[in-house]
Amino acid sequence: MILALEYHRSPARYLAAGRLPGRLRPAVVPSLAPLRLSHRKPPAPPGPDWVRLRPVLSGICGSDLSMAAGTVSPYLSALVSTPFVPGHEIVAELMDDAGDLRAGTRVVADPVLSCRTRGLDLCASCADGHENRCDRVTAGRVSAGLQTGFCADTGGGWSERLVAHRDRLHPVPASLPSERAVLAEPLACAIRSVRRIDVPRGASVAVVGAGTVGLLTVLALRELTPAGPITVIARHPGQRRRATALGATETIDPANALRGLRRITGGSLVRPELGPGYLLGGADIVAECTGGQGLDTALRIVRAGGTVLLSGMPARPVDLTPAWYRELTIAGSYASRGAADFAAALDLASHDALEGFVDGVYPLSRWRDALSHALAAGRSGSVKIAFAPQRRADEPAEPNGGADG
């Protein structure tokens, strides 16, 4: 038997959590979330080329928090199977040999559960190399699940064991500490997002939100594209400092977003009779990285004919009039495209500015404290909170996780 934190469907808890005011969520959501710490049988490899993993660290993602807080879109409910063990940002040790990888090797896991991993003939998207767009995430040898961490049969990183397909595993360089390696999956997502669109040389870019997604998007933009000035809209001082260290040209408080972008990019600020104002002019590209109200802001600060990149998981309706009137391009970016993005992510994970990103590591038994910390991360100055599933409750906590493997 293994210790695991399980998610169970509970519409009542989902709705109750979703109605909480934002300021109360860090304190109340952990008690309302449909999560249960339990002992369960470890998942078994469902077919050839599947192996067992022992998680070393597993991050708490914004999508995990949305699930716990009742703000995730119901659109995704058809693409999961319950009860599932969350956790898709995973650095783990192999328990079995996996091709050229020996048992004991540290790996990071690409969580996408595509046709190849499900033992199916490739759908059109998978055949085209876009496994993150797979159309068969409800079929095959494992139950429905758009990713590991949302599938009842694979387990997830918030447990002492899970299973994964060899095709989804990438070895971690010996020189890379586990608290950096656990950033590989969100980094791969950020890399996918900036490769999803054309970023012309010198283009002005605004990034809305400076949590993990926003900050890693800044790093990917600066290191992998010819972007010009990058302006980050960040709520908290600690986020603004980190954004600057990662390559932002300027940072702005959300309350000053319109005036700040008008000053930086030119144009004029207009105000309708009802609702907030918007720019005539604005940034060439705006990356929405909050998964919340940030999309409304993004649509109001991008120039006519510009591009809005959805890097965060949207969950709230917005007025799409700007997309029509200003002839905007709206591009979604989900997960990563696999090996190439993960190779670049493991390389970027060694960047000096990522030091201290993982600054809260908890045993599974303290999952309520971990979720509270993650929900209040921006306000407290933290970025990434993670579980160390093999750590016992009585072991002393270490600031960087103490899990270098």
Side-chain angles (χ1 to χ4, degrees), residues 1-6 36-43 53-55 85-86 155-162 362-367 387-394:
M1 303 295 283
I2 61 168
L3 192 64
L5 190 57
E6 293 180 322
R36 182 185 308 162
L37 189 64
S38 61
H39 287 88
R40 57 180 281 171
K41 291 182 178 180
L53 302 180
R54 182 183 294 111
V85 177
W158 297 5
S159 69
E160 293 177 323
R161 191 179 302 173
L162 71 151
Y362 293 82
L364 291 171
S365 60
R366 292 184 59 198
W367 65 272
F387 287 110
Q390 311 305 323
R391 181 183 293 171
R392 302 271 65 84
D394 56 354

Side-chain angles (χ1 to χ4, degrees), residues 93-127:
E93 293 177 350
L94 284 173
M95 298 179 68
D96 308 300
D97 292 342
D100 57 333
L101 300 179
R102 301 274 74 86
T105 301
R106 272 188 315 149
V107 296
V108 291
D110 179 347
V112 172
L113 296 172
S114 61
C115 290
R116 195 184 315 276
T117 61
R118 293 175 170 277
L120 300 169
D121 292 336
L122 302 188
C123 68
S125 292
C126 287

Side-chain angles (χ1 to χ4, degrees), residues 77-99:
S77 62
L79 308 179
V80 304
S81 49
T82 57
F84 63 78
V85 177
H88 58 274
E89 300 176 354
I90 303 163
V91 55
E93 293 177 350
L94 284 173
M95 298 179 68
D96 308 300
D97 292 342

Side-chain angles (χ1 to χ4, degrees), residues 15-324:
L15 292 172
R19 290 171 179 158
L20 288 170
R23 67 182 183 278
L24 294 180
R25 285 178 181 167
V28 180
V29 162
S31 298
L32 286 178
L35 293 165
R36 182 185 308 162
L37 189 64
S38 61
H39 287 88
R40 57 180 281 171
K41 291 182 178 180
D49 297 323
W50 284 76
V51 294
R52 299 172 300 162
L53 302 180
R54 182 183 294 111
V56 175
L57 288 178
S58 184
I60 300 175
C61 176
S63 59
D64 299 322
L65 294 176
S66 295
M67 169 195 68
T71 58
V72 69
S73 169
Y75 175 95
L76 298 173
S77 62
L79 308 179
V80 304
S81 49
T82 57
F84 63 78
V85 177
H88 58 274
E89 300 176 354
I90 303 163
V91 55
E93 293 177 350
L94 284 173
M95 298 179 68
D96 308 300
D97 292 342
D100 57 333
L101 300 179
R102 301 274 74 86
T105 301
R106 272 188 315 149
V107 296
V108 291
D110 179 347
V112 172
L113 296 172
S114 61
C115 290
R116 195 184 315 276
T117 61
R118 293 175 170 277
L120 300 169
D121 292 336
L122 302 188
C123 68
S125 292
C126 287
D128 196 36
H130 289 91
E131 292 186 316
N132 57 327
R133 302 177 185 173
C134 179
D135 288 325
R136 295 175 180 165
V137 296
T138 60
R141 59 168 52 107
V142 295
S143 56
L146 68 168
Q147 292 188 359
T148 297
F150 297 94
C151 173
D153 293 341
T154 63
W158 297 5
S159 69
E160 293 177 323
R161 191 179 302 173
L162 71 151
V163 294
H165 193 277
R166 167 63 184 91
D167 188 55
R168 302 285 93 186
L169 303 177
H170 306 279
V172 176
S175 61
L176 191 67
S178 291
E179 70 268 18
R180 294 293 192 92
V182 78
L183 298 174
E185 194 277 338
L187 265 170
C189 295
I191 290 165
R192 164 59 179 163
S193 70
V194 303
R195 290 174 170 172
R196 173 75 173 85
I197 60 171
D198 177 40
V199 182
R201 183 166 299 278
S204 60
V205 183
V207 176
V208 183
T212 302
V213 174
L215 291 172
L216 297 183
T217 298
V218 172
L219 178 61
L221 282 164
R222 187 54 77 207
E223 295 293 324
L224 302 177
T225 78
I230 300 173
T231 303
V232 177
I233 299 171
R235 189 177 302 278
H236 304 290
Q239 294 175 330
R240 293 194 282 272
R241 288 193 296 271
R242 289 188 183 273
T244 300
L246 289 164
T249 311
E250 190 162 350
T251 62
I252 304 174
D253 184 273
N256 301 319
L258 290 171
R259 294 185 182 278
L261 263 296
R262 182 185 63 175
R263 172 177 54 81
I264 293 167
T265 64
S268 59
L269 171 59
V270 297
R271 296 190 181 279
E273 291 181 357
L274 295 173
Y278 54 90
L279 297 181
L280 296 177
D284 297 321
I285 298 167
V286 181
E288 198 297 294
C289 299
T290 68
Q293 282 300 113
L295 178 55
D296 185 68
T297 298
L299 293 169
R300 293 173 185 274
I301 62 175
V302 67
R303 66 164 174 81
T307 298
V308 174
L309 174 65
L310 302 184
S311 294
M313 182 178 66
R316 299 181 183 180
V318 297
D319 183 355
L320 290 177
T321 300
W324 161 74

